Amino acid sequence: VKAEIFFKIAECYRLTSNTKQSEGWYEKVIKAKYPDPIAYLYYAEAMKANGNYAEAIVQYNKYKQEVPSDPRGGDGAKSCELAQQWKDKPSRFKAENAAALNSKFADLAPAYSKKGYSGLLFTSSREEATGKSYDASWSGEKNTDLFEATVDKKNKWSKPEPVPAPVSTGEKEGTASMNRKYGIMYFTRCLEGEDKTISCKLYAATRKGTAWDEPVVLSFCSDTFTYGQPSLSADEQNLYFVSDKDGGFGGRDIWVSPFNKKEKTWKDPVNLGPNINTADDEMFPFI
């Protein structure tokens, strides 16, 4: 009974992405001799997320020994080995906090929005987001909006402002991708139904002067599945995105929709296959 209680507590932390707490609780799960070997896998994944690669490899290998048919054990150990190699030999690039753009809320998925890389679109759940609704089902923060900021010649960013209506609606908007001329924006919009189910689809909006036309749902999006996180290729001929539609390999897979030049529409999406997609969720592609 104790082992089961520990496992449920650990699961709560895992499913809310609290990796530090979940690592500690999965350790208790293992010590309490929880019978399901999945505990080794989740313990390893928490360790990996916390940067404890050597310890994670041990747990991944234990899971691999218990469930040899599941590739997640071997793949997880290999990913830890690669991560440690990259850490030991870092690149010459240095990541710095873009403090002028960030808030204490979720800020994610940046994309350039103007010529000369002078504008930046990103998704945020900060209090300035349009509308009055909060995401009660997950984050507890404001429904996300697309925000935009511009940078001057002295490399100083303006205060980020929500992209105005009709792009922003008070529903959940985010994760934009622009075409080369920055005249078309592809983004995700999620609507909550009366039964509290969330429906996410891909939209396209065309710039009209300094404003945006009414966004249009991409034709291949159905009401049955969720679609999100678009990334447009440089030649504008392929739109990559995430979906849980049929024909995938797991929860959410990465798909691509080729552009039909003759009809000027997006073709039926194609799954990127097992070299890219797995039984887990693939998220936030960037091409």
Side-chain angles (χ1 to χ4, degrees):
V1 176
K2 183 187 289 187
E4 185 178 352
I5 292 172
F6 287 169
F7 182 77
K8 288 180 177 179
I9 295 172
E11 283 288 88
C12 288
Y13 285 119
R14 180 178 72 88
L15 294 170
T16 52
S17 301
N18 189 330
T19 57
K20 290 185 179 179
Q21 286 285 355
S22 65
E23 180 178 339
W25 280 99
Y26 282 121
E27 182 180 11
K28 294 179 181 180
V29 171
I30 301 290
K31 288 181 178 178
K33 300 187 182 327
Y34 187 71
D36 192 336
I38 197 71
Y40 291 122
L41 178 66
Y42 292 157
Y43 187 25
E45 290 183 341
M47 286 179 165
K48 181 174 73 171
N50 295 330
N52 301 323
Y53 301 124
E55 297 92 333
I57 289 172
V58 173
Q59 300 302 322
Y60 275 124
N61 285 333
K62 285 183 180 179
Y63 180 72
K64 181 180 178 181
Q65 186 174 358
E66 292 286 331
V67 192
S69 60
D70 190 341
R72 289 181 292 178
D75 290 348
K78 186 176 179 180
S79 70
C80 288
E81 292 170 3
L82 288 170
Q84 189 61 57
Q85 290 174 23
W86 296 330
K87 192 174 181 180
D88 294 339
K89 294 183 178 180
S91 75
R92 62 187 177 87
F93 297 101
K94 182 180 179 182
E96 296 179 349
N97 191 325
L101 300 175
N102 291 316
S103 68
K104 66 179 181 180
F105 301 96
D107 303 298
L108 61 146
Y112 287 116
S113 61
K114 293 183 178 179
K115 292 180 180 179
Y117 310 113
S118 60
L120 194 74
L121 279 169
F122 64 94
T123 304
S124 180
S125 60
R126 62 188 65 194
E127 285 296 313
E128 293 86 351
T130 305
K132 299 179 181 179
S133 299
Y134 285 77
D135 183 4
S137 63
W138 183 248
S139 69
E141 298 177 0
K142 263 292 199 57
N143 279 349
T144 56
D145 258 350
L146 282 164
F147 282 74
E148 187 172 21
T150 56
V151 66
D152 61 22
K153 294 180 180 179
K154 295 182 179 180
N155 206 33
K156 184 178 180 181
W157 287 99
S158 66
K159 180 183 176 182
E161 299 287 349
V163 176
V167 172
S168 296
T169 63
E171 300 289 349
K172 298 173 185 175
E173 283 95 16
T175 320
S177 184
M178 305 285 290
N179 70 340
R180 282 175 296 177
K181 294 183 177 180
Y182 302 103
I184 302 176
M185 178 201 302
Y186 299 93
F187 67 96
T188 311
R189 176 179 287 165
C190 298
L191 305 176
E192 184 173 331
E194 293 182 1
D195 59 354
K196 300 299 181 181
T197 58
I198 305 296
S199 173
C200 298
K201 294 180 180 179
L202 299 178
Y203 288 72
T206 303
R207 197 189 292 273
K208 193 174 184 180
T210 58
W212 293 95
D213 276 345
E214 187 70 37
V216 178
V217 180
L218 298 193
S219 59
F220 58 75
C221 293
S222 72
D223 294 332
T224 311
F225 308 107
T226 62
Y227 306 79
Q229 303 163 12
S231 183
L232 184 66
S233 63
D235 62 6
E236 302 179 22
Q237 298 307 300
N238 292 286
L239 186 68
Y240 296 83
F241 62 92
V242 168
S243 179
D244 61 359
K245 68 192 300 314
D246 283 344
F249 293 85
R252 290 178 174 85
D253 278 4
I254 300 175
W255 298 71
V256 60
S257 173
F259 189 68
N260 187 325
K261 291 182 180 180
K262 186 178 290 185
E263 298 180 11
K264 294 186 177 181
T265 58
W266 292 101
K267 298 179 183 179
D268 288 341
V270 178
N271 189 285
L272 292 194
N275 287 337
I276 295 292
N277 294 312
T278 67
D280 293 313
D281 286 337
E282 274 65 52
M283 303 282 278
F284 294 98
F286 180 81
I287 187 72

